[in-house]
Amino acid sequence: MLVYKSDDGKAAMIRLEKGEDLYEGVTEAVRDLGIEAGTVQVIGGLTHAKFGYYNQGTKEYEEHELPGGSEIASCVGNVSIRDGEPFLHAHVVVSGSDGRALGGHLLPGSKVFLAEVYVRALGGEAPVRKVDETLGLPVWS
Ligand code: ZN
């Protein structure tokens, strides 16, 4: 993992290595940088994509995978606190060789071919996630 910090220390560009897990790699990077609240953007490519669709009826994630090479056409997210630790929430849009896009909630299991990550810390109090029983999701409270 290569990290290029901004001169004010509030942002960084990070390159994840081939084979790293996208979700775990970005999470590790923001924790190493001490970011408790911030925004995340990623472009690059994956060798395997894994993402979820939140079924609002069952309140469970349905998992989807795109095996083989794909482009990270877009991946945006945020960092807040969950269970006392910096927590990444990101969504990803990937496209295959036919140019068609798929996407959803980024799950662990997406393997990096190349990932160029931008993270920016926000000042002030970090949002803390707690489970909202109506939604069935850990949201900012
Ligand atoms: Zn999500």
Side-chain angles (χ1 to χ4, degrees), residues 67-122:
S70 62
E71 294 286 332
I72 303 171
S74 179
C75 180
V76 296
N78 59 61
V79 178
S80 57
I81 299 295
R82 181 179 177 186
D83 299 327
E85 299 278 344
F87 171 79
L88 171 68
H89 180 204
H91 286 200
V92 64
V93 178
V94 292
S95 60
S97 60
D98 61 0
R100 293 180 186 271
L102 297 169
H105 177 91
L106 179 65
L107 294 171
S110 288
K111 298 300 177 191
V112 168
F113 179 74
L114 167 66
E116 296 177 347
V117 182
Y118 170 76
V119 297
R120 187 185 187 288
L122 300 181

Side-chain angles (χ1 to χ4, degrees), residues 33-49:
L33 290 164
I35 296 173
E36 296 188 331
T39 61
V40 174
Q41 303 171 13
V42 187
I43 56 172
L46 298 172
T47 58
H48 186 97

Side-chain angles (χ1 to χ4, degrees), residues 2-44:
L2 297 172
V3 178
Y4 302 89
K5 280 189 183 177
S6 64
D7 58 2
D8 67 359
K10 294 182 178 175
M13 294 199 297
I14 301 144
R15 180 185 159 194
L16 300 183
E17 302 296 331
K18 186 178 180 187
E20 284 192 80
D21 184 287
L22 180 60
Y23 184 87
E24 302 297 343
V26 174
T27 296
E28 182 183 342
V30 297
R31 288 180 178 179
D32 287 353
L33 290 164
I35 296 173
E36 296 188 331
T39 61
V40 174
Q41 303 171 13
V42 187
I43 56 172

